Amino acid sequence: MNAPATPAVPHHRLPELLRAMPKAELHIHIEGSLEPELIFALAQRNGLTLPYASVEALRAAYAFTDLQSFLDIYYAGASVLLKEEDFFDMAMAYFERAAADHVVHAELFFDPQTHTERGVPFGTVIDGLTRACETAERTLGVSGSLILCFLRHLSEEAAFATLEDALPYRTRFIGVGLDSSEKGHPPEKFARVFARCRELGLHLVAHAGEEGPPAYIWSALDDLHVERIDHGVRCVEDPVLVARLAAERVPLTVCPLSNVKLCVYPTMDQHNLAALLDLGLCATVNSDDPAYFGGYINQNFIETFDALPQLGSEQAYKLARNSFEASFVDAGVKAGWVKRLDDCFAVFAD
Ligand code: ADE
Ligand code: ZN
């Protein structure tokens, strides 16, 4: 794509612009979009009793100290998902919020092992999610695709078994990723699984450099051959790595609210999003697990731009444009979205 223009938009119109501009979301765990109200509704529908007395009590438990303290609650929340309809309802609720935030395209992570380990068939999970993607495109005009994530705290053997389960549904997902507890589970643990996925023509991404060191980002690039790094914020600790990510335009799917909620940064004004852009990296803004971290994609944009004075309309444009560049769609589709972005900025320009 050509170098972005530098659109001039008056500062007071920035929040409105951030909300209205078309954008793609590339880092959203669909299980992380389960709002407490929906957790309770699904528990009731499925005859399950939750270890929390109310929606408020559940929400009050969302005080995380690190990634693991979040994951423990996140996997417990996902345990209410049993039927195809549950997966459909969860994903449709997300797509409705995404459409309201002017998301034109979303690439959704899903964690099949979280469900198959509880006896929910892989087909049930992917049937519900696929139907939601089709419905969202038809009724909301938001395109969606699925990325199957392997849980890195489980074994290589378990990942291979999940891939076997998934192969009859090969056309229903566009790629694979790697998530869950990062520290102690470096990407190289899954090198052979990712090699097989690469042979199958799947897109490859991995969480790296969220809590883990820059060495994990190197490993995701060199051992897994990923096309995008999820989070990746710790790359700044290694200038040689930054130079490589910039030169190869490897996208980083950054999730600012997540990083603050999981104590990667103490406060938003210490987040490095602006620095990543200044270093020439293809950074994007995403919500990660919006039901747990205090907001969907537009809330991430609003809070980062509020906290970081270096961020203005030029950076807003870059972030939206990067999200299109980093997405796994055809160049022609990307060009159409860039045109919509330019039209939006023209409306807001001085
Ligand atoms: N699964 C859901 N959210 C995650 C995150 N932020 N990091 C790793 N695994 C996750
Ligand atoms: Zn994530």
Side-chain angles (χ1 to χ4, degrees):
M1 285 192 279
N2 299 327
T6 308
V9 172
H11 194 76
H12 71 274
R13 299 203 67 193
L14 196 50
E16 204 190 335
L17 171 72
L18 291 169
R19 289 195 177 89
M21 66 182 186
K23 51 187 78 75
E25 174 144 65
L26 307 176
H27 186 159
I28 158 80
H29 301 263
I30 199 59
E31 293 90 348
S33 74
L34 254 188
E35 292 287 341
E37 289 79 4
L38 189 53
I39 291 179
F40 269 80
L42 294 181
Q44 190 174 27
R45 190 159 93 186
N46 290 326
L48 303 169
T49 309
L50 293 167
Y52 297 92
S54 63
V55 164
E56 293 68 35
L58 175 56
R59 219 185 276 281
Y62 295 178
F64 312 117
T65 50
D66 60 8
L67 175 58
Q68 193 59 51
S69 65
F70 154 69
L71 290 170
D72 294 341
I73 289 201
Y74 161 85
Y75 294 128
S79 68
V80 299
L81 298 159
L82 294 181
K83 312 264 169 53
E84 194 228 286
E85 198 72 13
D86 303 339
F87 291 92
F88 174 81
D89 289 347
M90 169 177 68
M92 279 314 295
Y94 165 73
F95 277 122
E96 273 157 26
R97 290 185 185 255
D101 280 359
H102 297 271
V103 169
V104 296
H105 175 71
E107 296 178 3
L108 313 185
F109 293 147
F110 70 111
D111 286 343
Q113 287 159 298
T114 303
H115 314 299
T116 53
E117 283 209 323
R118 298 180 291 111
V120 178
F122 185 93
T124 300
V125 178
I126 203 153
D127 281 348
L129 298 179
T130 307
R131 188 156 66 84
C133 289
E134 290 164 358
T135 307
E137 172 117 48
R138 203 176 56 246
T139 64
L140 300 168
V142 180
S143 59
S145 40
L146 301 174
I147 296 179
L148 182 167
C149 284
F150 299 111
L151 299 182
R152 67 203 303 159
H153 68 274
L154 300 179
S155 66
E156 179 197 45
E157 190 188 356
F160 267 120
T162 300
L163 183 58
E164 277 304 308
D165 272 358
L167 283 185
Y169 305 91
R170 167 67 188 84
T171 58
R172 310 266 205 99
F173 57 101
I174 59 163
V176 297
L178 188 63
D179 66 0
S180 192
S181 321
E182 187 181 8
K183 285 196 211 149
H185 302 283
E188 63 257 30
K189 177 176 166 187
F190 296 94
R192 291 188 295 194
V193 184
F194 272 63
R196 178 77 191 112
C197 292
R198 205 170 165 213
E199 285 170 3
L200 290 164
L202 288 158
H203 286 291
L204 308 177
V205 301
H207 284 54
E210 176 185 17
E211 285 189 341
Y216 282 28
I217 303 177
W218 283 107
S219 175
L221 295 172
D222 291 333
D223 300 324
L224 305 188
H225 302 282
V226 299
E227 298 157 84
R228 295 195 300 241
I229 298 286
D230 296 312
H231 293 292
V233 289
R234 287 193 59 191
C235 71
V236 293
E237 295 167 31
D238 180 343
V240 179
L241 176 59
V242 168
R244 175 168 176 194
L245 292 168
E248 297 180 9
R249 280 203 73 72
V250 178
L252 304 183
T253 62
V254 179
C255 306
L257 280 173
S258 164
N259 293 151
V260 174
K261 282 285 185 285
L262 301 188
C263 307
V264 175
Y265 297 99
T267 52
M268 192 61 93
D269 57 1
Q270 293 177 63
H271 199 283
N272 69 0
L273 178 65
L276 295 171
L277 289 175
D278 276 351
L279 288 164
L281 295 170
C282 182
T284 63
V285 166
N286 307 270
S287 68
D288 205 7
D289 301 283
Y292 293 89
F293 297 151
Y296 288 75
I297 193 167
N298 278 2
Q299 194 65 25
N300 276 272
F301 273 106
I302 295 291
E303 292 198 29
T304 44
F305 277 67
D306 219 29
L308 299 169
Q310 313 92 303
L311 295 177
S313 58
E314 190 183 326
Q315 288 75 17
Y317 184 85
K318 269 192 193 157
L319 289 163
R321 195 173 165 127
N322 287 349
S323 75
F324 300 145
E325 179 186 336
S327 68
F328 294 136
V329 302
D330 295 344
V333 176
K334 291 182 186 183
W337 292 334
V338 171
K339 167 84 172 64
R340 281 169 69 176
L341 182 64
D342 288 342
D343 291 348
C344 175
F345 270 74
V347 169
F348 280 85
D350 279 324

